[in-house]
Every structure is written in structure tokens, then in C-alpha cells.
Amino acid sequence: MFPTLLLAQKLSTIKGTIINKFNDPIEGVTISYLNKGTTTDENGAYELKIPIRKTVTVTFSHVSYKTIVKKFTTRGVRTITFSPTLTIKNESLEEIIIQNRKKEAQGITKIDTKKLETVVGANAGVETILMTLPGVSNNNELSTQYNVRGGNFDENLVYVNGIEVYRPFLIRSGQQEGLSFINSNMVQNIDFSAGGFQAKYGDKLSSVLDITYRKPKEFATQVDLSLLGGNVTTEGTFLNNKLSAILGVRYRDNSLFVNSKQTQVNFRPNFTDVQTYLSYEANKKLTLNFLGNFSLNNYNYKPLTRRTRFGTIANPLELIVFYQGQEEDTFQTLFGAISADYKINEDLDITGTISSFNTQEEEHFDIAAAYNLGQVNTNIGSENFGEVEFSQGIGSQINHARNDLDALINNIQLKASLKDGNNEWKAGVRYQVENIKDRIREWEIIDSVGFSVRPPHHTNSNNQPYEPFTGPIEPFQSVRAENEVDINRITSFVQFSRKTNWDDHQIWLNAGVRTQYWSVTPKGLSGKSFTIISPRAQFAIKPDWKKDMLFRLSGGYYSQPPFYKELRGFDGKLNPNVKAQKSIHAVLGNDYSFVLWNRPFKLTTELYYKNLTNVNAYAIDNVRIRYRADNNAEAYAYGLDVRLNGEFVPGNDSWISFGYLKTEENINNRGYIARPTDQRIKFGVLFQDYVPNLPDLKVYLNLVYNTGVPGGSPAYADVYDFQNRLGDYRRADLGVSYVFVDANKKVTSNFIGNFKELTAGLELFNIFDIRNSITNTWVRDVYSKQQFGIPNFMTGRVLNFKLKMKF
């Protein structure tokens, strides 16, 4: 035993625990020097003997982590503790980039669905992420609608599993809107194109959002709770894994936000949504799918008082309003779609879909408002400092509406996809029937010092008190109409795609064309029919350079046939002669992928130009769009979009966006003026971080800055006489969360071990309590005959608690 003991005394010991950045132990790490070594156990622990009085180079290696090499020297027998943290290899990044080049060549931004779990915002979801991208904007945090590169809300396509989805028609404010159609907890893929998209997508002028709901592989339930509502999603497989099902139920209450405004209300809005997606694999060739949705928005609004200060430091004014009456709105939508995917062979797929959408909407309100517009005492030494001491204007108004709409949209479509080596053909045809019944009863009466204010464009003269006024008493504004219309559409498309090489350069080609025939038949009027043809093309090249770059050019002749809202004019009457708006669209883009700080980054730059004809000019009030319905305008838009995304913090993808836009229109040849969506500068940040010594404590920041858009004018104003801009929109939302359990952090010893995931956190909306506004309330000064536009401010600073559980 003596030689053995003597040998043992000449060896030192290295031991420790090897973990990753999430503090999880790593099993199977090989620790070796020369031909000797060991491996870590399931707890990440290891122990290795090394000789004394020698410098030994020890290697720590694992198939999924970067290798670490460390030198050790011991002069005597001792124990050294060394517990390194290994970094995940990025070798798979190269493969991912190659697989995603097709999307990049098509000009499609692919968004990581993990962002949906962490994004913070008043209406957190897919749309919140989109609004941090360049070229995408919205100045209303309560709305999920968005503008893209100078277009309006109605110019965006939204697909869920290849099926186009629609929004309610009568929504006029963000706080009425409620939930987005897209249930974030059911999403598997998110693809977004801001322009220059392929012929397989529909006939809109601005953008495409293509969502894919997932097919579950195992049973799971997720519950999200917050002070704003809840979301329960359950999923699983049945019938020997042939049937996959996912069901989501959402409830939202906007009281937390509405109560942060300057108007005191008795308000309890609630929005409910139920969605399901079923997929049944009948055999290896045939799969049947069903997508269903039911949503109900109850908006019961009873304003009480409002107090708003505005003006300048030298001349501050205050508006005090007392309200009577209430608003009761109901928006109920039903949507169902059945599709069949049939795989004829490895190269040919056919998909048939039947879908139906119905919305029943009621907008009923009677609200009387009595206001006092006064000057504020600015004398610091006065006992009445800060109080209203002089009334400049006193008046009242009554707003009334009994608006009802019932829309039914049915369609059937057939699509086919054929692959032939590097070539791919896609084609499709769809027949759609739309029936809309709309009843509008809406008026406003303004009373200024006991006199009813007549409409802006009245014809009767008033020479009181010298002559008695004998004209009719008319509302200041009045819209009365009843419309019923049937619209039939036949659309088709065919496109060709090819991936090839030019020497060692990769090339992507795409060319296609869409056609649409539609007829508009109002009740009691003769019908009108139209046809449009929309050719589109894309070209992309990835040069064989040391620098990883991809260039693309896309464009086409895009058309947007009118939907019902675009047929209805300011007076509520229907014009069946409205033609399709048209746009010659060109996009030049570049993607530059590079490594910075040993982490992956990508810089995306796009230049775009649109030349629009047959433009259907419109006005925006909050989120309601009212069209002129006459095609008497032309317009243009051009701009630059830049986005830098990458791991600013190791392991966390974030991005910074910048956009410049200019868009103008010429109505009835009166000259070019800024369009309602002319938002010149856009800056957005989506940032993620974690505490280095406590990586389970995570921080999320969503920051948006948009310059002001033209707007805020009275509803009756001539847009050429009123070209003022609203204030800049500035907003920052912050989220802090702690991960108790997730896929990288397992707990088995206590109650928390029953969860697959458990996260809790706080969200602070509008961190700096910035007062943004998107509309004005107009009141009259009886002395100067002036009208004052008092800004209607959006939500203030709000604190929310959030809990996420997954079983």
C-alpha cells in the first residue's frame, strides 16, 4: 500500500459544478487533459485528479456548448474549486439563416413568437410588436389597428391559417375596440410584409400579416391573469394523435386605462373572445381543419365630468364639462372556416376552404354636455391662484346615435401548390358573397348661450332681431341613411417562384398576377361591375461575398377594390360607382448580417415609393375612417425604413427601428396637401435584458416615438383650410418579471414543481405619464367668436400586475 499512498499524495484535485447562463447544471461535460478525464453527473458536478508541480491544460467540452480551456499549476497537494459557466454554441445560427433566406428574399419579416410572451403594452400582442417596426405606426395605445407606410387601417391584410379575417365596422374609438382577433397564446408563426408582397396575397395596398396557429403535440394548459383580464388556453391531441385541438378563452376589462383619463366616468367595458382550431389527420394525404371564433364587446359608457387645462403659461385656459346620458354599444362577431388539405403526391398540394363571417353591431348613445371655458388665475399671490375666474365661453351640446349594422360574408376558395425541383407554382380562385345592412341615425346639436348653432353650410339668412328668423331649426350635424347592398367577388391568382444560382451567387425570382371581378348591387338601385388586374414581381440576390448580404427588389401594380366602408360617403349614402384604388409600388431592400461583440446582428434597410391613383380620400376621427367615396384624388408616398436587431444583451434579441415617411394627396386638383397618415418620423425600440447575477429576473422595454399627423379638425372642416398637426406621440412601457419555473429551470421539491412554467411580474404603462392626444373637442368662445380645440388626452401612467402559469 505504501507506493500507492505515495502516488496519491502527488496528485491535486480539481472539482466544481458546471452550469449554463440560466444557472442550470450541465450533464455530460467532458473534462480532460492528455489521455485522462471525467464527465459531469446530472447535477453538473465533477472531480479530476492532476499531478503536482506541473502545468496542466484542462479542456471542458460539450456538444451543445462552447469549449473552455484552462491551465492549472499546483506546487503541492491541494483541492482547487473551478465552476465555469458554459455558453451555448451558435453553430446552428448558420443553418437557420440559410433556411430563412426564402422569407428574407420575399421581403417578409419573421417575428419570433417568444416575443409574444414578453412584449409589454396596453394591448400586448402581435400588433404591439408590429408597431415597434419601421414604417408601422399607431398613435392610440388602446387600438390594435395600425398604419403602414402612409396607408390607413383598411389597407392591411390579416390572415390566420391562410384565411382572411375581418374587423368590426362601426368602431370609432380605441376604448371600444377590445381584443384583437389574433390570440397570441395560439400562435406558431408570424410573417409580416410592409409592401411589395406576392400575388398569392390579397388585394390591399399596404401590408400583409400572415399568422399560423399551431397544431398541439401534447396536452398543456396556460393561464394568464392580470388586472386587465385573463386568458386561458388549453390544447392536446386525441384519437391516437390524429386529432389536435387548441381552445382559447379571453376576457378583458379596459376600466384600468379609461379611469386614468381626465374624464370621470361610470364605465365597465368588457370584451369576451372564444377561439378554437381543430385539425384531424384522416390519412397521410388528407387533413381536415376547423377555425372558429366568437367575440362579444359590451361597451357601456356613462361620462360624468371632465376637467382639462390647456393653453400657454401666460394664458392658461380650463375646460369644465358636466355630462348627462350614456352610450351603450354591442359588437358581436361570429367566424367559422372549414378547410381540407389534400396531398396528391410529394410535389402537389391542394387546399379547399369554406368560411363565413357575421358581425352584428349596435352603437346607441345620447350624451348631453354642458361646458364652461374659463381663464385661470395666474397671480401667485392671489387666494384664488389656479382657479377659474372668468368664463370665456358657456354652451352645451347633445350627441345622438342609433346606428345598427349587420354584415354577412361567405366565401369558398381553392388553392394549389406544385413543386418542380427549384421551381414552384401556386394558384388559387375564390368566390365571395357579401351582404351588408346598415342603418344610420346620427346627429349633433350645439347650443351657445341659449341659441342653437346652425350647420356650417346653412343657406337661410338670419337678421335678428331686426327681422324674425323663419327658417327650420336644424342640427349642427346630421346623418340619416339606410343602406342594403350585395357585393359579389371572384378573385384568382397564379404565381411562379424559382431559386437558382448565378455562378456562386444565390438568386430568387417570383412573378405573378391577380385578377378580381366584383359587382355592387344596392337595394333599389342598378348594380355596377368592375375588373382589375394586378401584376407583381420580386427579385433577390445573395452575392458570394465575405460579408453576408442580401439585396431585393419588388413591386407591382396593386389595386384595392372597395369594401363596404369605402362605398359609404360622409353623408352615409352609398355610391356603387366607387372604383378600386390603385398603386404602382416599388421597394428596394438590403439585409446585412454580421457579428458584433461575438453575437449575431442584422441591419435591414428598405427604400419604397408609391404612386397612387383613383384615391378615395378620407378623414380620421380617433380610429373611425370616413370616406368621401368619389375617387377624386391622387397621391404619393415615399420613405426609408431601417431596423437593427440582434443580441444587444447576450441571449436576448432586441431591435431599434427608424422610419421616415412623406405622403401627400391632391383632391379635386386643389393641390397637394399632407394625408391624414403623413407621419414623418418614427422611432421604436423593443429591448430585453436580465440581471446578470439573477438571470431569472427579466426586464422588457417598449418605446415608441411618432411625430404628429395632420388631424384634430372639426368634422365639418375643409381639410384644405385646416392643416394643423397633432402633437408628437411619445410612449414608453416597462415590464419586470421573475421566472420561477420554465423549461430551463425545473423545480420538483415544492408546490411550484406542479407548474411547467410560472412567471409573475409588474407592468408600468406610460412610464413618464406623457399626455398624448389624437382628437380635439371643439368649443366656442361667445365673445371672440373663436373656436378652441381642446385635446382629448389618451391614457396616463398605469400599473398592472401579471401572472403566467402553464401546466
Side-chain angles (χ1 to χ4, degrees):
M1 295 177 57
F2 179 78
T4 303
L5 293 173
L6 185 62
L7 181 62
Q9 291 174 356
K10 294 182 180 179
L11 296 178
S12 292
T13 302
I14 304 173
K15 68 177 183 178
T17 302
I18 301 179
I19 58 174
N20 59 23
K21 66 179 182 180
F22 302 105
N23 290 330
D24 299 322
I26 306 174
E27 181 181 2
V29 178
T30 300
I31 303 98
S32 61
Y33 74 94
L34 298 178
N35 59 348
K36 299 178 182 180
T38 185
T39 58
T40 57
D41 59 19
E42 60 182 5
N43 297 317
Y46 74 95
E47 183 175 307
L48 179 69
K49 303 291 185 180
I50 62 172
I52 63 174
R53 299 189 183 92
K54 290 184 179 180
T55 299
V56 177
T57 301
V58 180
T59 302
F60 299 80
S61 61
H62 189 280
V63 67
S64 299
Y65 294 85
K66 292 182 178 179
T67 299
I68 291 179
V69 177
K70 177 75 173 177
K71 293 183 178 181
F72 297 91
T73 303
T74 58
R75 295 184 178 180
V77 177
R78 54 176 294 196
T79 299
I80 301 173
T81 300
F82 181 66
S83 299
T85 300
L86 299 189
T87 303
I88 297 176
K89 287 182 178 179
N90 289 325
E91 292 178 357
S92 60
L93 185 62
E94 183 72 19
E95 180 181 357
I96 292 174
I97 292 175
I98 293 173
Q99 291 176 350
N100 285 341
R101 286 302 187 191
K102 181 178 179 181
K103 296 289 186 182
E104 294 177 11
Q106 295 173 0
I108 289 177
T109 301
K110 190 172 181 63
I111 299 172
D112 188 355
T113 55
K114 292 181 180 179
K115 292 285 188 294
L116 296 175
E117 302 176 4
T118 58
V119 67
V120 57
N123 245 325
V126 175
E127 293 87 354
T128 304
I129 297 176
L130 294 184
M131 291 173 203
T132 64
L133 299 177
V136 184
S137 62
N138 182 2
N139 290 2
N140 189 335
E141 60 268 13
L142 293 180
S143 174
T144 58
Q145 304 186 72
Y146 49 89
N147 305 314
V148 179
R149 293 179 176 174
N152 66 31
F153 304 146
D154 297 331
E155 297 178 11
N156 304 311
L157 287 161
V158 180
Y159 292 94
V160 175
N161 286 48
I163 303 165
E164 186 175 356
V165 297
Y166 305 92
R167 298 177 180 271
F169 291 74
L170 297 183
I171 295 291
R172 69 172 64 205
S173 68
Q175 61 192 35
Q176 290 177 319
E177 213 173 290
L179 296 161
S180 162
F181 182 94
I182 302 166
N183 188 329
S184 299
N185 288 351
M186 299 171 65
V187 172
Q188 178 177 332
N189 292 315
I190 307 170
D191 292 337
F192 178 73
S193 173
F197 43 85
Q198 296 180 354
K200 66 178 180 179
Y201 294 116
D203 296 303
K204 297 284 188 180
L205 297 181
S206 290
S207 73
V208 173
L209 175 61
D210 193 358
I211 301 293
T212 303
Y213 280 173
R214 67 177 175 273
K215 295 181 180 180
K217 302 298 182 182
E218 60 181 6
F219 179 79
T221 298
Q222 179 173 328
V223 180
D224 294 340
L225 300 174
S226 77
L227 300 180
L228 295 170
N231 186 351
V232 179
T233 307
T234 185
E235 58 189 84
T237 58
F238 310 92
L239 304 179
N240 294 325
N241 294 328
K242 287 190 173 184
L243 174 65
S244 63
I246 183 169
L247 173 69
V249 180
R250 295 181 291 172
Y251 174 81
R252 182 177 174 88
D253 185 335
N254 268 348
S255 300
L256 194 66
F257 285 113
V258 177
N259 291 335
S260 72
K261 293 188 174 184
Q262 293 182 333
T263 302
Q264 300 299 313
V265 297
N266 183 2
F267 185 37
R268 197 74 181 176
N270 57 82
F271 312 106
T272 306
D273 172 274
V274 180
Q275 287 191 44
T276 186
Y277 177 58
L278 310 175
S279 181
Y280 177 71
E281 186 178 344
N283 52 54
K284 292 183 178 180
K285 291 190 173 184
L286 178 63
T287 302
L288 304 176
N289 309 292
F290 172 76
L291 176 64
N293 170 262
F294 168 78
S295 68
L296 179 63
N297 294 2
N298 289 317
Y299 181 83
N300 298 319
Y301 179 74
K302 188 175 182 180
L304 301 175
T305 63
R306 170 183 174 176
R307 184 184 295 265
T308 302
R309 288 194 173 179
F310 64 103
T312 63
I313 296 177
N315 184 30
L317 299 174
E318 182 174 77
L319 175 70
I320 302 174
V321 186
F322 295 93
Y323 296 96
Q324 286 184 319
Q326 64 182 345
E327 179 175 354
E328 293 185 356
D329 303 335
T330 301
F331 304 92
Q332 176 181 293
T333 61
L334 289 165
F335 175 80
I338 299 174
S339 65
D341 301 326
Y342 188 72
K343 194 176 188 64
I344 296 178
N345 53 48
E346 291 297 323
D347 299 320
L348 179 60
D349 297 326
I350 294 179
T351 300
T353 305
I354 299 175
S355 68
S356 180
F357 171 82
N358 175 243
T359 179
Q360 299 178 32
E361 306 174 23
E362 296 179 353
E363 185 184 40
H364 297 174
F365 56 80
D366 287 285
I367 296 177
Y371 68 85
N372 176 30
L373 178 64
Q375 293 181 349
V376 179
N377 188 327
T378 58
N379 185 357
I380 298 178
S382 173
E383 294 181 356
N384 298 320
F385 174 72
E387 300 291 333
V388 175
E389 63 177 6
F390 178 74
S391 295
Q392 288 188 231
I394 298 175
S396 63
Q397 66 185 48
I398 299 176
N399 289 281
H400 165 92
R402 293 293 185 271
N403 300 331
D404 301 285
L405 182 140
D406 189 337
L408 178 64
I409 303 173
N410 299 316
N411 67 56
I412 181 171
Q413 67 178 2
L414 184 67
K415 294 181 180 179
S417 175
L418 174 64
K419 294 180 180 179
D420 180 17
N422 291 330
N423 302 329
E424 183 178 23
W425 291 87
K426 289 188 177 182
V429 62
R430 180 173 73 171
Y431 175 66
Q432 181 165 297
V433 178
E434 305 164 14
N435 175 260
I436 292 95
K437 300 176 182 178
D438 186 16
R439 176 183 180 272
I440 308 169
R441 297 288 187 272
E442 188 174 327
W443 49 259
E444 178 186 30
I445 292 177
I446 297 179
D447 174 8
S448 180
V449 197
F451 291 89
S452 177
V453 181
R454 289 180 294 168
H457 306 293
H458 61 86
T459 56
N460 296 311
S461 62
N462 183 356
N463 195 26
Q464 295 186 81
Y466 306 104
E467 295 178 8
F469 177 70
T470 58
I473 304 267
E474 299 179 72
F476 188 73
Q477 295 184 78
S478 179
V479 179
R480 296 176 65 88
E482 289 193 21
N483 301 317
E484 183 175 349
V485 61
D486 291 309
I487 304 174
N488 297 319
R489 304 180 191 270
I490 300 176
T491 61
S492 62
F493 79 90
V494 61
Q495 71 174 40
F496 169 78
S497 302
R498 177 178 175 82
K499 182 180 181 298
T500 185
N501 290 319
W502 176 34
D503 292 335
D504 292 328
H505 311 304
Q506 299 181 57
I507 303 289
W508 289 265
L509 300 170
N510 175 272
V513 62
R514 288 187 67 87
T515 63
Q516 182 171 154
Y517 166 85
W518 75 98
S519 64
V520 181
T521 309
K523 184 178 181 180
L525 298 175
S526 59
K528 299 290 182 178
S529 59
F530 307 86
T531 302
I532 57 102
I533 299 176
S534 174
R536 309 171 189 182
Q538 294 179 334
F539 170 81
I541 179 171
K542 184 184 182 306
D544 184 28
W545 296 346
K546 290 184 178 180
K547 292 186 176 181
D548 188 356
M549 285 193 174
L550 183 143
F551 299 89
R552 59 178 172 271
L553 175 65
S554 61
Y557 190 45
Y558 292 81
S559 298
Q560 180 168 321
F563 206 47
Y564 171 71
K565 287 173 61 177
E566 293 149 270
L567 298 173
R568 194 177 75 179
F570 285 179
D571 60 358
K573 305 297 184 181
L574 206 66
N575 180 9
N577 297 306
V578 176
K579 302 175 183 177
Q581 301 183 82
K582 298 182 179 181
S583 170
I584 298 176
H585 194 174
V587 182
L588 177 64
N590 168 256
D591 291 339
Y592 173 38
S593 300
F594 58 96
V595 175
L596 181 66
W597 307 316
N598 293 320
R599 298 192 291 272
F601 283 82
K602 184 168 75 171
L603 177 66
T604 302
T605 306
E606 287 192 335
L607 287 165
Y608 59 88
Y609 176 79
K610 301 179 185 179
N611 181 28
L612 298 103
T613 55
N614 284 349
V615 173
N616 192 350
Y618 57 88
I620 300 178
D621 180 15
N622 203 310
V623 299
R624 182 175 70 160
I625 299 176
R626 298 183 304 126
Y627 290 91
R628 296 171 59 97
D630 57 12
N631 293 117
N632 287 342
E634 58 185 10
Y636 68 86
Y638 63 83
L640 168 69
D641 287 346
V642 180
R643 182 169 76 113
L644 175 65
N645 70 290
E647 295 186 13
F648 293 93
V649 175
N652 290 271
D653 188 38
S654 304
W655 61 69
I656 300 173
S657 301
F658 170 80
Y660 172 79
L661 161 71
K662 183 177 182 180
T663 179
E664 293 184 325
E665 62 187 358
N666 179 4
I667 304 174
N668 290 325
N669 292 320
R670 297 176 64 186
Y672 279 94
I673 57 173
R675 303 192 78 192
T677 54
D678 184 35
Q679 194 141 48
R680 292 297 172 87
I681 301 296
K682 158 69 182 285
F683 180 75
V685 174
L686 189 68
F687 187 75
Q688 302 182 52
D689 200 355
Y690 59 88
V691 179
N693 296 327
L694 191 62
D696 295 323
L697 183 60
K698 303 180 184 295
V699 179
Y700 309 98
L701 176 66
N702 181 4
L703 187 150
V704 173
Y705 169 79
N706 299 326
T707 54
V709 294
S713 64
Y716 52 84
D718 185 342
V719 65
Y720 277 86
D721 296 334
F722 196 102
Q723 272 291 293
N724 289 2
R725 288 179 179 263
L726 295 165
D728 296 350
Y729 182 83
R730 298 158 294 167
R731 186 175 178 89
D733 298 324
L734 177 70
V736 179
S737 66
Y738 183 79
V739 179
F740 295 94
V741 182
D742 66 3
N744 298 312
K745 183 180 179 182
K746 300 297 184 182
V747 178
T748 59
S749 58
N750 52 33
F751 171 74
I752 297 179
N754 296 321
F755 298 93
K756 289 183 179 179
E757 293 184 25
L758 179 61
T759 304
L762 294 174
E763 296 176 325
L764 186 60
F765 305 122
N766 198 358
I767 301 172
F768 306 111
D769 199 24
I770 297 172
R771 301 196 304 172
N772 297 304
S773 67
I774 56 171
T775 59
N776 290 328
T777 295
W778 290 88
V779 299
R780 303 167 70 90
D781 178 357
V782 67
Y783 297 99
S784 65
K785 308 300 182 184
Q786 287 184 321
Q787 293 191 76
F788 289 88
I790 291 89
N792 298 317
F793 293 114
M794 300 298 295
T795 61
R797 184 188 295 118
V798 173
L799 181 65
N800 182 40
F801 172 75
K802 194 173 183 179
L803 180 67
K804 174 186 173 183
M805 300 170 284
K806 193 170 183 179
F807 308 94

